Amino acid sequence: MSSRRWRACPECDWVSALPVLKVGESAFCPRCQHELVHRHDAPAQRILSYATAALVMLLLTLPFSFLSFEMGGIRHEIVLSDAAFVMFDNNWPILALLIALSIIVLPGIFLLMVTWLYGSIAMRVKLPGTLFIARILSGLKPWLMTDVFLVGVLVSLAKLANMADIGFGWSFFAFFIYVILLARTVSIVDADWLWFALEQEPQPPSFAKRGMTAHEQGLVGCKCCGMLNSATERQCQRCHTSIAPPSPLRIQATWALLISALVLYIPANIYPMMYTQTLGGQRESTILGGVLQMVDMGSYLIALVIFVASFIVPIAKIAVLGYLSYLASKPAKLATPKKMQLYRLTEVVGRWSMIDVFVVAIMVALIQGGVLLSILPGAAAVAFAGVVVLTMIAANTFDPRLLWQAELNADEMNDAVNNMEQAGAKRNA
Ligand SMILES: [Zn+2]
Ligand SMILES: [Zn+2]
């Protein structure tokens, strides 16, 4: 056995040994091309500078004016947290909580945890709680939705632009920088480097072999730190996360979540997303109604963004995950690389469906209690947020390793071994 670090691919379970990487290089799974590790340049120093700068910007997004709205001589200003508080005032505490968590609280906690962990590594002192924090850190990543919120702000401004004068406050600019710095921090935080820096790399079980799946040889790859463990262990030897081989039983959890999301998709489309009250009376608009309204106003790009993000993506995501769950429980019928592309796509695009919920929150916060115009949230907003959250959890419960279990044939195995031998699973990022 070599002293190289071994990995079981988290997506297809294939065992390979990581090559020695230079800065900027990545190692890919020879079987499914999933990126196993990427070598960053001076990660601790860079992350510490990005994360502390992002924290400062987060603090600056809170106190000052975020946006202002002026119509018919009446001016109204909001701060960032109003987007959440206004939902609380309108008796939708769940939406208020979701918005506050995804744009302020969770990113704040994430940045503090990152600073604590990488600070501990940079100072070479083991601060209390580092292992616990490192275990939960990557689970937070999909729930940090500041980028989606920023697009939501831009869409709401485009919707309001011909109705009123909109102004940007200092906090808006701070928010913009905060979004960029947070995205940079998230992209450099890397579980592989982190666990190596914290706990080194224990040797995998002596019977481990490359070029076959971990499951076939009684091994399990840890989902959290990547370490290869014997399947007889209950916890990962390095990070102590509980480990489990790919189990078809998990598919039932995915199904349950998908069906619940599908049920909520109906009220999300039937009920109004928001109510617009003017002197002339009250008008309701559903998701599709809002899209048509944008088409009438000639804002085709916004109509397209909302139509794709709110109508197509959620139902497509439910359909794709349902299809993959079906395939994972049956002998496979589709070429596997295509399945993996579908799976990766659902993981990436799903969170962008939150745009319309954020648009409603911003418009309600900005235009409330006015004499000429006020906007109130509708029941569809909470149903829709439910669809997005449930499909995100469903994607998380789905175990892509199951898609590969029925697939293994002799040709594929030989090809993969040859590829690995030739390229050392290495290619430039
Ligand atoms: Zn793989
Ligand atoms: Zn682990």
Side-chain angles (χ1 to χ4, degrees):
M1 173 165 295
S2 74
S3 61
R4 281 155 72 184
R5 302 187 301 130
W6 289 49
R7 287 289 172 274
C9 173
E11 299 208 339
C12 75
D13 208 31
W14 194 256
V15 175
S16 45
L18 297 178
V20 179
L21 296 173
K22 294 198 195 88
V23 167
E25 285 182 339
S26 296
F28 293 84
C29 168
R31 190 192 194 197
C32 75
Q33 297 305 313
H34 173 67
E35 187 183 80
L36 295 171
V37 293
H38 177 82
R39 176 96 193 273
H40 294 279
D41 182 21
Q45 291 80 344
R46 284 173 71 212
I47 287 183
L48 277 174
S49 34
Y50 282 124
T52 41
L55 273 171
V56 171
M57 282 299 155
L58 171 59
L59 290 177
L60 291 177
T61 62
L62 298 174
F64 309 111
S65 160
F66 187 66
L67 292 171
S68 65
F69 170 86
E70 192 170 347
M71 186 183 178
I74 300 165
R75 190 179 145 84
H76 182 58
E77 250 181 27
I78 58 166
V79 292
L80 178 64
S81 51
D82 284 341
F85 282 125
V86 78
M87 287 298 178
F88 199 77
D89 292 342
N90 280 282
N91 299 319
W92 291 115
I94 292 181
L95 273 183
L97 188 69
L98 189 67
I99 293 169
L101 282 177
S102 58
I103 61 170
I104 300 169
V105 180
L106 291 180
I109 292 175
F110 179 84
L111 291 168
L112 286 172
M113 293 200 314
V114 162
T115 314
W116 187 262
L117 277 179
Y118 285 82
S120 153
I121 294 168
M123 294 186 300
R124 298 171 204 274
V125 194
K126 203 160 205 174
L127 297 172
T130 43
L131 296 189
F132 171 74
I133 293 173
R135 274 200 296 273
I136 56 175
L137 192 69
S138 25
L140 283 180
K141 281 185 184 179
W143 304 98
L144 314 178
M145 300 203 197
T146 51
D147 45 356
V148 183
F149 185 83
L150 183 64
V151 175
V153 171
L154 300 178
V155 169
S156 3
L157 295 187
K159 280 185 158 199
L160 294 169
N162 47 10
M163 270 190 241
D165 282 338
I166 308 284
F168 297 104
W170 284 114
S171 278
F172 176 83
F173 298 106
F175 184 78
F176 189 81
I177 302 170
Y178 156 62
V179 172
I180 295 170
L181 291 171
L182 178 65
R184 279 304 289 157
T185 314
V186 169
S187 72
I188 313 174
V189 166
D190 153 23
D192 187 73
W193 187 88
L194 184 62
W195 280 105
F196 191 78
L198 288 172
E199 294 287 282
Q200 301 301 307
E201 177 101 7
Q203 279 293 303
S206 55
F207 57 87
K209 285 193 186 68
R210 292 189 279 172
M212 55 199 291
T213 66
H215 188 58
E216 287 172 291
Q217 42 183 323
L219 295 169
V220 183
C222 172
K223 284 252 176 196
C224 173
C225 74
M227 158 98 196
L228 205 54
N229 289 271
S230 162
T232 53
E233 305 288 344
R234 291 181 157 219
Q235 283 188 337
C236 170
Q237 295 296 290
R238 177 162 66 166
C239 71
H240 307 297
T241 308
S242 54
I243 49 173
S247 159
L249 288 176
R250 295 259 296 188
I251 297 178
Q252 294 178 14
T254 315
W255 276 122
L257 289 159
L258 288 179
I259 292 167
S260 318
L262 196 61
V263 170
L264 277 181
Y265 188 71
I266 300 166
N269 278 285
I270 294 178
Y271 288 108
M273 276 303 262
M274 59 186 187
Y275 300 93
T276 312
Q277 292 175 336
T278 56
L279 290 175
Q282 177 169 295
R283 199 183 61 211
E284 316 173 336
S285 57
T286 56
I287 292 176
L288 284 182
V291 171
L292 292 177
Q293 204 183 327
M294 284 295 105
V295 172
D296 281 347
M297 286 164 66
S299 311
Y300 299 113
L301 182 66
I302 309 251
L304 187 70
V305 169
I306 298 289
F307 181 69
V308 172
S310 308
F311 191 74
I312 303 285
V313 167
I315 197 71
K317 189 172 173 182
I318 293 173
V320 166
L321 281 174
Y323 175 60
L324 292 177
S325 302
Y326 165 77
L327 286 178
S329 58
K330 300 272 169 208
K333 295 182 181 95
L334 190 79
T336 298
K338 280 190 187 157
K339 284 184 229 163
M340 296 318 290
Q341 280 167 6
L342 275 178
Y343 172 69
R344 286 171 198 153
L345 196 67
T346 58
E347 273 199 313
V348 174
V349 297
R351 52 205 280 286
W352 287 93
S353 301
M354 278 301 265
I355 288 180
D356 219 19
V357 175
F358 290 146
V359 169
V360 171
I362 295 153
M363 292 184 63
V364 172
L366 209 49
I367 311 173
Q368 52 176 325
V371 187
L372 298 174
L373 180 68
S374 71
I375 293 182
L376 297 169
V382 75
F384 191 76
V387 174
V388 181
V389 170
L390 288 172
T391 51
M392 282 174 68
I393 301 174
N396 191 261
T397 59
F398 180 75
D399 188 342
R401 292 177 300 180
L402 291 170
L403 287 173
W404 292 82
Q405 281 199 345
E407 286 280 322
L408 203 63
N409 59 46
D411 285 346
E412 197 185 358
M413 189 152 23
N414 288 339
D415 285 348
V417 172
N418 289 342
N419 283 346
M420 192 161 57
E421 238 94 88
Q422 280 166 14
K426 186 157 112 181
R427 117 183 157 206
N428 285 342

